[in-house]
Amino acid sequence: MTLNTSSGLLGTSFRSAILAAMATLVCSSVWAQTIDTVNGAEISTDVYNMYLESRIQKPASEATPQERSRYLDELKDIYLLTTQPKADALAKTPRNKAMIELQTRGILAQAVAADFLESNAASDAEILEAYQEQVELAPPLEFKASHILVETQSEAISLISELEGGADFAELAKDKSTGPSGPSGGDLGWFSANQMVAPFSQAVAALENGAFTKTPVQTQFGWHVILRVDSRESTPPTLESVRDVVKQRVEQDKLQKYLQDLRATLSE
């Protein structure tokens, strides 16, 4: 069984990064101080640590002395350029104003979303309920199948004729299939219906074990001749093995509901 999830507005890895950055700021702000000044503009430890972490992709405390020196120089260059007299004028051009506005809004939106998710973490009961819903929606059977993929319908019809004449399916797949499973005799292993495109899944489900399709099956990949090798009842993964995935989905659903409620207030 495959549990479905989507990254939504704020994916797990990105959300973690935002929360970590916010935690760093909260902690460091207590001790924030000016570490350098460029044309009267102060560079605080908060700004420096955030820039440093964005460059080394790890906590600022793990930066080497060489990294600290290198990225402080980079940050000073940014301050140097943005404190030039021309910078004020450029910041007021329509395009740059729009870019600054979008970046500011994007950062704040991410922070608000992260704060919402932190305050509305999925409970154990919610995770269990979502898991059970996914288990109930999962296809009852899994299939083991092989296929031969060719470019034209006529090629597929010819292959079916050979199979009806006693040809070996695996050998035909090795010789004729254009799909990546061809060298292994067309073997696709075990899968659930929702893991394949609809025409393919429907054809497999309609077969008996050991039978192959008597008419070609067309998908966006080409024309298939399919052999259903075996079937079995699907076994759902344990809750603990997919807990993080389910938790993310529950929290993303909460965030989407929050956004829907906010959108509704616009039309009131």
Side-chain angles (χ1 to χ4, degrees), residues 40-70:
E42 296 181 348
I43 302 177
S44 72
T45 51
D46 283 348
V47 172
Y48 170 62
N49 286 335
M50 182 158 284
Y51 182 75
L52 180 61
E53 291 183 357
S54 73
R55 300 292 279 127
I56 65 175
Q57 297 298 302
K58 58 185 178 183
S61 59
E62 297 180 15
T64 65
Q66 293 80 8
E67 288 172 332
R68 287 187 165 277
S69 175
R70 174 184 175 184

Side-chain angles (χ1 to χ4, degrees), residues 125-142:
E126 289 171 330
I127 293 171
L128 177 59
E129 181 181 3
Y131 168 77
Q132 290 173 336
E133 288 176 356
Q134 288 287 301
V135 169
E136 290 174 1
L137 292 173
L141 290 178
E142 292 180 329

Side-chain angles (χ1 to χ4, degrees), residues 166-187:
D168 182 76
F169 193 99
E171 291 304 316
L172 277 181
K174 291 176 183 178
D175 187 43
K176 302 290 186 181
S177 183
T178 62
S181 66
S184 60
D187 184 17

Side-chain angles (χ1 to χ4, degrees), residues 6-173:
S6 59
S7 59
L9 177 67
L10 200 66
T12 300
S13 60
F14 188 67
R15 175 169 67 106
S16 299
I18 289 292
L19 290 174
M22 291 172 66
T24 299
L25 272 179
V26 169
C27 294
S28 62
S29 292
V30 178
W31 307 103
Q33 56 184 305
T34 300
I35 61 173
D36 213 324
T37 302
V38 178
N39 288 338
E42 296 181 348
I43 302 177
S44 72
T45 51
D46 283 348
V47 172
Y48 170 62
N49 286 335
M50 182 158 284
Y51 182 75
L52 180 61
E53 291 183 357
S54 73
R55 300 292 279 127
I56 65 175
Q57 297 298 302
K58 58 185 178 183
S61 59
E62 297 180 15
T64 65
Q66 293 80 8
E67 288 172 332
R68 287 187 165 277
S69 175
R70 174 184 175 184
Y71 295 121
L72 177 57
D73 286 342
E74 278 191 5
L75 187 56
K76 287 168 65 176
D77 285 343
I78 292 173
Y79 273 65
L80 183 61
L81 288 171
T82 56
T83 53
Q84 295 306 301
K86 187 68 174 177
D88 287 339
L90 290 172
K92 296 173 183 177
T93 65
R95 180 174 179 81
N96 288 335
K97 282 180 67 177
M99 291 175 65
I100 293 169
E101 176 74 8
L102 284 173
Q103 289 182 348
T104 301
R105 294 289 177 185
I107 291 168
L108 289 175
Q110 292 160 5
V112 171
D115 179 72
F116 174 85
L117 290 171
E118 186 176 27
S119 302
N120 293 272
S123 67
D124 290 341
E126 289 171 330
I127 293 171
L128 177 59
E129 181 181 3
Y131 168 77
Q132 290 173 336
E133 288 176 356
Q134 288 287 301
V135 169
E136 290 174 1
L137 292 173
L141 290 178
E142 292 180 329
F143 304 103
K144 181 176 176 59
S146 297
H147 78 139
I148 305 171
L149 177 64
V150 290
E151 294 182 358
T152 66
Q153 183 179 23
S154 59
E155 289 178 281
I157 291 173
S158 177
L159 289 169
I160 291 171
S161 296
E162 291 188 58
L163 290 170
E164 290 176 335
D168 182 76
F169 193 99
E171 291 304 316
L172 277 181

